[in-house]
């Protein structure tokens, strides 16, 4: 099995100072999943193109990889796409990114994790094109979810 974990580009105001957030959450998940024998593709949209600056909505930009570049990097053979959503202020980027991913890869499930989906799971699912949300620490639930995709357990077991 192969999964793709995405640390999305950062939403910034045009006047905001440059800040890049390290992708700690998805890095922990990737490490854990590799130890579980899962092939992991990690896309760090902020770290891979820290000088990328693309128009977004109403006087904001996204810093990092453009959505098109993220889509180009996703392996079409992936079984699951996970998107990190740390900050509520950046959730509009996650929403638009998930919509674009679903357009390109409609059969691949999308799962959200991070602070925003943990505290607002229903809204996160309603507002985005995600299929699932992981609440809290994601290592064990993500591993179990991969077992579900491999038909080794049911959703109720997670």
């Amino acid at each position: 099995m192969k999964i793709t974990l995405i640390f999305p580009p950062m939403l910034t105001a045009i006047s905001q100072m440059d800040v890049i957030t390290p992708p700690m959450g998805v890095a922990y998940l990737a490490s854990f999943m590799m130890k579980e024998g899962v092939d992991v593709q990690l896309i760090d949209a902020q770290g891979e193109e820290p000088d990328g600056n693309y128009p977004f909505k109403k006087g904001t930009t996204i810093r990092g990889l453009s959505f098109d570049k993220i889509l180009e990097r996703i392996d079409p053979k992936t079984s699951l796409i996970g998107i990190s959503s740390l900050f509520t202020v950046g959730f509009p980027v996650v929403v638009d990114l998930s919509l674009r991913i679903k357009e390109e890869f409609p059969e691949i499930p999308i799962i959200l994790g991070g602070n925003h989906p943990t505290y607002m799971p229903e809204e996160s699912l309603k507002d985005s094109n995600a299929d699932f949300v992981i609440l809290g620490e994601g290592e064990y639930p993500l591993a179990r979810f991969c077992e579900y995709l491999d038909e080794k357990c049911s959703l109720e077991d997670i």
Side-chain angles (χ1 to χ4, degrees):
M1 163 174 288
K2 181 171 192 159
I3 65 172
T4 299
L5 300 176
I6 301 172
F7 191 62
M10 178 179 283
L11 179 67
T12 62
I14 290 173
S15 61
Q16 184 175 341
M17 85 169 132
D18 291 340
V19 176
I20 294 179
T21 305
M24 299 303 292
V26 292
Y28 287 134
L29 289 174
S31 173
F32 186 86
M33 296 307 294
M34 288 188 298
K35 286 183 179 179
E36 293 289 309
V38 175
D39 186 10
V40 178
Q41 175 187 25
L42 178 58
I43 300 172
D44 176 7
Q46 293 178 38
E48 290 183 40
E49 191 177 325
D51 295 327
N53 202 356
Y54 301 93
F56 190 58
K57 296 178 180 176
K58 298 180 185 172
T60 63
T61 60
I62 57 170
R63 180 166 300 117
L65 293 172
S66 69
F67 291 168
D68 289 337
K69 289 180 181 179
I70 293 169
L71 290 170
E72 289 171 8
R73 283 176 166 76
I74 295 173
D75 185 339
K77 295 178 185 169
T78 196
S79 300
L80 174 67
I81 297 171
I83 305 173
S84 174
S85 181
L86 288 180
F87 307 112
T88 297
V89 70
F91 192 66
V93 173
V94 173
V95 168
D96 284 14
L97 178 59
S98 70
L99 293 171
R100 290 285 308 277
I101 290 171
K102 236 357 155 176
E103 288 172 3
E104 187 77 20
F105 304 101
E107 301 301 318
I108 300 175
I110 297 174
I111 193 164
L112 301 181
N115 294 336
H116 181 84
T118 293
Y119 291 103
M120 300 181 74
E122 292 87 9
E123 293 85 354
S124 296
L125 286 170
K126 180 181 68 113
D127 295 340
S128 72
N129 227 354
D131 302 292
F132 302 95
V133 169
I134 288 182
L135 307 179
E137 299 297 324
E139 289 84 350
Y140 291 104
L142 183 59
R144 294 290 287 164
F145 193 81
C146 288
E147 290 176 4
Y148 161 73
L149 291 177
D150 280 340
E151 299 180 350
K152 295 178 181 174
C153 72
S154 69
L155 269 179
E156 293 78 25
D157 293 333
I158 302 174

